[in-house]
Amino acid sequence: MSSVIVPTITTDNPEIYKSEMEKIRKFSLRVQVDVADGVFAPVQLTPVERIWWNAGMEVDVHMMVARPSDYMDILLKLKPSMVILHAEVEEDITPLLELLKKSGIKSGIALLRPTFPGHLANAIHQANHVMIFSGELGKQGGKASLMQLEKVRMIKALNADVEIGWDGGIGMDNAFTIAQGGVDVLNVGAALSEATEPAEVYKAMMEEINKHGIF
């Protein structure tokens, strides 16, 4: 499959959320919305109950929360395309991944930099998506640690069919390398939200990650 750029919304401001969603829907039908509780992540972002999106959009909800089970009822009612839970939370996420899938919602796992995929074999085996998280929780920008690409091979050894995502520090200078490293979904925040013409940047990045390299 070809790699894809997925814009990310990371804010606690309803007006900024609305502005970002309206801009993004003009050039991408898939978007990631970040949720943070101020506990697992050091900031609070848009609460789950205030998430919304335009009809026809495919929404991935990235839950940076300590106890995702506390949010499951509302997530199941919201019916996003996918919910991504962190492997490092206080509770076993395996039954939550199963609950999401039974409810027709794709299940995702996010791995912080120190997290070794081999310790999560059962969860990765049942997941639809594994996100390699190379950023800072609750913040946009930062620098991508390309050493994290080593995890792609490990994840694929556990689940050959899983979709691989990457979040953190993606820009025009490294997007091609990340895509060539086996990443299917490149979540991009600051490079789009801070751009004067985000649609043009999105188009250029899509062309960049799907160009044919010479190796």
Side-chain angles (χ1 to χ4, degrees):
M1 66 179 281
S2 298
S3 298
V4 63
I5 299 292
V6 174
T8 301
I9 298 178
T10 306
T11 184
D12 63 348
N13 185 309
E15 291 304 314
I16 293 176
Y17 183 98
K18 180 180 179 181
S19 174
E20 288 296 303
M21 189 65 78
E22 290 299 324
K23 284 192 294 185
I24 289 167
R25 75 184 184 97
K26 295 176 182 178
F27 56 83
S28 174
L29 291 179
R30 184 171 177 179
V31 62
Q32 176 179 291
V33 176
D34 286 344
V35 174
D37 61 359
V39 179
F40 181 77
V43 298
Q44 290 184 318
L45 300 176
T46 302
V48 174
E49 58 270 19
R50 294 185 184 174
I51 292 175
W52 60 270
W53 57 87
N54 298 95
M57 295 190 76
E58 182 180 351
V59 179
D60 305 333
V61 180
H62 176 202
M63 299 292 293
M64 293 177 281
V65 299
R67 291 191 55 81
S69 61
D70 293 345
Y71 303 83
M72 293 306 291
D73 286 347
I74 191 164
L75 285 168
L76 296 179
K77 290 177 183 176
L78 274 173
K79 277 278 188 182
S81 174
M82 179 164 66
V83 173
I84 302 169
L85 309 177
H86 270 270
E88 303 84 6
V89 297
E90 299 173 355
E91 54 190 352
D92 180 11
I93 64 170
T94 307
L96 303 181
L97 299 175
E98 186 63 27
L99 177 59
L100 289 167
K101 293 175 77 173
K102 286 182 177 178
S103 303
I105 300 171
K106 287 183 282 188
S107 63
I109 307 171
L111 311 180
L112 296 179
R113 290 188 187 188
T115 302
F116 180 62
H119 296 155
L120 302 160
N122 290 338
I124 290 175
H125 181 71
Q126 75 176 95
N128 300 112
H129 177 103
V130 178
M131 174 199 287
I132 298 170
F133 191 84
S134 177
E136 294 184 51
L137 289 169
K139 298 180 181 179
Q140 288 189 342
K143 184 175 177 61
S145 172
L146 297 184
M147 290 179 63
Q148 294 286 306
L149 285 171
E150 289 291 324
K151 290 181 178 176
V152 173
R153 175 183 54 81
M154 302 175 193
I155 293 165
K156 286 292 188 179
L158 297 168
N159 185 346
D161 299 322
V162 77
E163 181 180 72
I164 304 286
W166 181 289
D167 193 317
I170 297 173
M172 196 67 74
D173 61 330
N174 60 21
F176 179 72
T177 300
I178 292 170
Q180 286 291 302
V183 175
D184 306 303
V185 177
L186 288 76
N187 296 112
V188 178
L192 291 172
S193 64
E194 296 176 4
T196 304
E197 298 290 343
E200 292 302 313
V201 174
Y202 175 85
K203 179 182 177 182
M205 291 188 81
M206 282 290 290
E207 291 174 351
E208 175 70 9
I209 65 175
N210 289 302
K211 71 184 181 182
H212 296 290
I214 300 174
F215 294 96

